[in-house]
Amino acid sequence: MKNLSIAISLSLLLVGCNTTTNDPNTFTSQCSYSELEGDKPLTFTVTSVNEATLEGVICSGSLDAFDDMRTQFPSVATFNIQSIPGSADDEINLLLSAEIHQNGIATHLVNSAMIASGGTDLFLAGTQRTADDALPKIGVHSWSDSSGQSGKDLPRSMKNTNHI
């Protein structure tokens, strides 16, 4: 009886520590609440053998969620993006975008989709990029490099400059 009680207690403990969804087709980035400032983390939901929907903020756990999804569903070839308002981890965003491109995944903005900042980077990483809307909601902003030079400091035309 004591062994049964211990086994039940351990089972409950393990179930209580599981932070992933019960849906085997959903892969949610595991990121800290403070990192996301209350926003939803990037989530990959596989909707068919070849497609997955994406929604949420790209964060430190997004590359792991992508890798988990690709392990379970290697034939996914199109990401249907609903809303990606940005990224909380720029390094992971660039690594994830590179993986998307290297894996030959197309990106598609569904009707009423919205992307901004790091979400725009992710969309552009697609090997083919399409949108349902004729005028999709795509947000961009300026940036700065390690020397403090921002995008607004560069000429509109990069011809005849040393910046690249």
Side-chain angles (χ1 to χ4, degrees):
M1 187 65 166
K2 184 176 180 180
N3 287 341
L4 180 60
S5 185
I6 290 172
I8 291 172
S9 295
L10 283 174
S11 296
L12 290 173
L13 179 64
L14 290 174
V15 169
C17 291
N18 187 359
T19 58
T20 59
T21 179
N22 290 330
D23 181 355
N25 296 340
T26 300
F27 302 85
T28 302
S29 305
Q30 300 300 307
C31 308
S32 69
Y33 182 79
S34 62
E35 177 183 2
L36 293 171
E37 298 177 359
D39 292 324
K40 177 182 176 179
L42 185 66
T43 301
F44 300 82
T45 303
V46 178
T47 56
S48 75
V49 68
N50 296 322
E51 296 183 342
T53 60
L54 274 63
E55 183 173 28
V57 173
I58 301 161
C59 57
S60 61
S62 296
L63 187 57
D64 291 335
F66 170 81
D67 289 340
D68 292 345
M69 189 262 329
R70 290 292 292 171
T71 298
Q72 295 291 323
F73 298 95
S75 62
V76 168
T78 301
F79 284 156
N80 294 311
I81 299 171
Q82 294 176 336
S83 174
I84 303 177
S87 64
D89 188 318
D90 292 335
E91 184 176 335
I92 291 296
N93 182 41
L94 293 176
L95 292 171
L96 176 59
S97 295
E99 285 292 317
I100 288 168
H101 190 78
Q102 290 169 1
N103 280 277
I105 297 172
T107 51
H108 176 75
L109 299 176
V110 300
N111 193 33
S112 299
M114 188 285 298
I115 56 172
S117 189
T120 303
D121 296 336
L122 188 144
F123 171 69
L124 292 174
T127 53
Q128 294 180 345
R129 297 165 302 280
T130 57
D132 284 339
D133 293 330
L135 298 171
K137 296 177 189 116
I138 300 174
V140 295
H141 59 83
S142 190
W143 48 266
S144 64
D145 65 14
S146 59
S147 70
Q149 184 176 23
S150 74
K152 70 179 175 78
D153 298 327
L154 298 175
R156 288 186 183 264
S157 171
M158 295 301 286
K159 290 181 182 178
N160 300 321
T161 67
N162 294 325
H163 303 286
I164 295 197

